[in-house]
Amino acid sequence: MDLTRVFAPDLFDGKTVFVTGGGSGINLGIAKCFARLGADVAICGRTQEKLDAAAEELRALGAKVSTRAADVRDMDALSAAMETARDELGPIDVLVAGAAGNFPAPAEKLSANGFKSVIDIDLLGSFNAARSAFEQLKETNGCIIFISAGQAFMPYAMQAHVGAAKAGIDNMMRTLALEWGRFGIRANSIVPGPIRGTEGMKRLAPAGMDDKLAKLVPMQRMGEVDDVGQVACFLASPLAGYVTGSLVMADGGMNLPGSGVWAQVFGEMAGGK
Ligand code: COA
């Protein structure tokens, strides 16, 4: 879809969007949607080479881009990346807290450290991002978009770690919406469905599953990264100026029938055991 036929092409001119985990996948897709509508974009992630490659793609869309490697688990590194973004692009108007880690694992085989790794990346990392961006967002009356998942409100087999982390993110999102509304800061979460070609899908579904999975989604198709990016642009736009504390589904209805869809996928991965 040509976003500029739906939104004003200069909707985010002069705005700074900071995306954690913006080097690839859904997060890079979100960053590109903002770039198409005039935003300047800062991305952070663990690998500078990945950020450099993503920055090229964003510059090709006309964005000024700031990159700095930072693991969201490391508050000092993340704060430094946000300061660099501010120096290079101006204060942050939109924070997309999207950095995440995932792997399917049955709870009885998941180590304490495996559980903690996902909690640290997803939940602590999202808090770190929001906390580090607070002063800049207060200055701009900006907004935060968290990336949640169906696991947050529904038990998915082999996702005890991810469900706990994402449920924590959504509760925190609502708390921040409650606390920071008086600073003019809005906070919302997006729940993406199965998005084609992303790292998350590679980890959660065996190769070649796309067509089968698509048939299990009420909308009868896999999602594209733009399906999530478009919602992020809406949430960051003045159209959503009174929307805060919301969980917005961009999943083609995938979570409506419950997590049985995924039980089927994981069952096949485990060889039907
Ligand atoms: N099954 C079970 N346990 C696993 C696992 C798997 N597939 N992958 C990692 N773990 C465990 C490790 O065994 C380790 O626990 P241990 O010390 O008890 O052995 C723990 O998780 C940490 O692993 P490590 O590789 O050191 O963590 P990391 O911080 O380098 O990486 C992950 C974090 C594990 C989340 C990794 O998958 C990652 O970096 N993911 C980022 C990208 C991603 O997942 N994108 C999709 C988002 S939807």
Side-chain angles (χ1 to χ4, degrees):
M1 180 197 295
D2 180 359
L3 264 190
T4 60
R5 291 176 65 89
V6 181
F7 293 110
D10 62 352
L11 180 59
F12 296 114
D13 268 10
K15 303 284 186 194
T16 299
V17 179
F18 191 103
V19 185
T20 69
S24 63
I26 291 176
N27 299 319
L28 176 56
I30 293 173
K32 283 182 175 175
C33 285
F34 278 106
R36 285 186 200 116
L37 296 174
D40 295 324
V41 182
I43 50 176
C44 77
R46 284 180 288 179
T47 322
Q48 186 63 46
E49 296 73 49
K50 229 166 129 179
L51 297 176
D52 291 342
E56 286 290 306
E57 294 184 43
L58 291 164
R59 287 192 187 104
L61 295 169
K64 272 197 277 174
V65 182
S66 168
T67 69
R68 184 153 172 178
D71 187 322
V72 289
R73 292 171 282 192
D74 180 344
M75 188 66 163
D76 290 343
L78 195 51
S79 297
M82 289 193 185
E83 279 314 308
T84 302
R86 183 197 180 95
D87 292 346
E88 295 180 356
L89 308 177
I92 297 166
D93 295 276
V94 181
L95 167 67
V96 179
N102 197 352
F103 53 85
E108 73 276 13
K109 294 197 177 130
L110 184 60
S111 71
N113 196 36
F115 187 89
K116 180 176 181 299
S117 294
V118 171
I119 297 289
D120 282 354
I121 298 171
D122 292 26
L123 179 54
L124 180 63
S126 293
F127 173 76
N128 287 347
R131 182 68 188 85
S132 310
F134 172 72
E135 291 297 339
Q136 296 193 44
L137 291 170
K138 187 172 151 194
E139 205 176 307
T140 59
N141 295 143
C143 72
I144 309 173
I145 296 166
F146 293 99
I147 304 301
S148 183
Q151 291 91 318
F153 49 86
M154 186 175 299
Y156 277 46
M158 299 205 204
Q159 294 278 272
H161 44 329
V162 176
K166 296 291 191 181
I169 288 174
D170 289 341
N171 188 284
M172 176 175 69
M173 175 275 289
R174 291 193 186 93
T175 307
L176 296 184
L178 187 69
E179 287 193 26
W180 291 356
R182 69 195 168 102
F183 300 115
I185 300 172
R186 295 181 296 111
N188 295 287
S189 291
I190 301 177
V191 177
I195 306 297
R196 190 194 306 280
T198 57
E199 180 65 26
M201 281 310 297
K202 270 185 233 149
R203 285 163 182 267
L204 293 183
M209 276 290 290
D210 279 14
D211 287 347
K212 190 166 180 190
L213 195 50
K215 292 198 184 82
L216 300 170
V217 175
M219 293 301 296
Q220 300 282 290
R221 68 170 176 90
M222 296 285 287
E224 307 294 334
V225 287
D226 281 3
D227 285 314
V228 184
Q230 289 157 198
V231 174
C233 288
F234 162 71
L235 285 173
S237 79
L239 292 174
Y242 209 47
V243 179
T244 193
S246 292
L247 201 62
V248 181
M249 308 293 159
D251 69 348
M254 197 199 79
N255 288 290
L256 296 173
S259 59
V261 168
W262 283 104
Q264 206 169 318
V265 173
F266 291 152
E268 287 197 17
M269 279 177 92
K273 289 185 192 129

